[in-house]
Amino acid sequence: MSGGLRFQDLSRLTPARVRLDASASPTPMGDLLRFQEDHAGARDAIFSAANWEAIATDLAPLTSLRVASRATDRAEYLRRPDLGRRLAEGADLPRLDCPLVVIVGDGLSAQAVDRHAAPLIHALRARLPELSTVPVVLAQGARVALGDEIGAALGASMVLMLIGERPGLTVADSLGAYLTLSPRVGLRDSARNCVSNIHDHGGLSYDQAADRLLWLIETAQKIGVTGVGLKDESTQTPRLG
């Protein structure tokens, strides 16, 4: 079996880019163009702005609140990750004292939140009807930890941050979901659980992601911890009664 054929076989097992056949010369034009297209897609995902108005519309009948981080523009957001972890000065959020709030942050892929945030929230709301009474927070210039300050301000017992993941050359619109109990400024990332690779290019479907998040939410509420103390056994363990 030739090396080229082995690589072709490997490529059938994964949507990831598999090494090109080194014996092929020159580089096949199709492969070169696909690489350039994927690279441009990744750059677009990072530098584009989320369409917050469209997301708010897609979330209906859920209501939403808009906030921003201390990063004043996209360039500063990329240079200063610390600014994306704190709310802008003067941010005014209502005290809700709710068990769970969902936050949508643009993160490193606006395309991910544009395409996947609202459908995932609706899938989760079908499993947790109580989410219908709590507004979704839309956070511009957000890093994952921004959810801690937002959750603390709202008086939420738990926050679920849906955020655009760093784009790659295979998938530029992957969404991640981070669950944190008792959110407050200064928490370490080890206090969170993450469900990643939510997209429609071979990743988790909305129903699969919502089922996994539901298991994590219910288990966290039962045992009182998220992060390293909560091992994700959602695919092995039936729902808690």
Side-chain angles (χ1 to χ4, degrees):
M1 182 180 296
S2 69
L5 185 56
R6 288 200 299 273
F7 292 132
Q8 290 175 7
D9 291 341
L10 286 173
S11 67
R12 297 190 185 98
L13 303 176
T14 172
R17 176 172 279 98
V18 178
R19 175 182 176 273
L20 296 177
D21 181 4
S23 64
S25 181
T27 302
M29 181 60 72
D31 291 326
L32 178 62
L33 292 176
R34 279 191 290 274
F35 176 84
Q36 292 176 336
E37 181 182 18
D38 292 343
H39 185 257
R43 289 180 57 85
D44 286 347
I46 289 177
F47 290 102
S48 297
N51 188 339
W52 297 115
E53 289 74 18
I55 294 173
T57 299
D58 292 342
L59 285 172
L62 294 174
T63 59
S64 58
L65 302 170
R66 292 279 300 275
V67 298
S69 73
R70 294 184 184 180
T72 55
D73 55 38
R74 199 65 182 166
E76 186 176 53
Y77 170 81
L78 294 172
R79 290 196 310 269
R80 294 283 306 274
D82 57 312
L83 297 180
R85 301 184 183 110
R86 296 302 306 272
L87 274 172
E89 299 286 352
D92 185 21
L93 288 169
R95 188 78 181 179
L96 300 177
D97 293 323
C98 55
L100 173 67
V101 67
V102 179
I103 303 166
V104 178
D106 45 6
L108 291 170
S109 175
Q111 296 174 8
V113 295
D114 284 347
R115 296 174 182 173
H116 306 307
L120 176 57
I121 290 171
H122 287 307
L124 191 58
R125 187 167 68 98
R127 293 157 173 79
L128 286 171
E130 55 268 38
L131 286 180
S132 300
T133 63
V134 182
V136 177
V137 181
L138 308 180
Q140 180 173 315
R143 300 279 177 174
V144 173
L146 184 65
D148 298 338
E149 186 170 4
I150 294 172
L154 293 172
S157 300
M158 191 182 302
V159 294
L160 178 63
M161 168 67 90
L162 308 182
I163 192 165
E165 295 182 322
R166 185 185 305 276
L169 291 175
T170 302
V171 178
D173 63 340
S174 181
L175 189 71
Y178 292 80
L179 183 69
T180 309
L181 187 68
S182 302
R184 57 194 181 280
V185 175
L187 278 181
R188 296 178 181 272
D189 288 339
S190 57
R192 319 182 200 287
N193 288 88
C194 176
V195 176
S196 63
N197 286 309
I198 304 167
H199 56 80
D200 52 9
H201 312 286
L204 289 177
S205 68
Y206 304 135
D207 283 333
Q208 288 173 323
D211 285 341
R212 188 170 294 182
L213 289 168
L214 177 64
W215 187 91
L216 288 169
I217 291 166
E218 291 181 336
T219 306
Q221 290 173 333
K222 183 177 180 65
I223 68 176
V225 67
T226 52
V228 295
L230 172 55
K231 183 179 179 182
D232 184 358
E233 297 177 332
S234 56
T235 58
Q236 292 87 35
T237 308
R239 287 184 59 185
L240 299 173

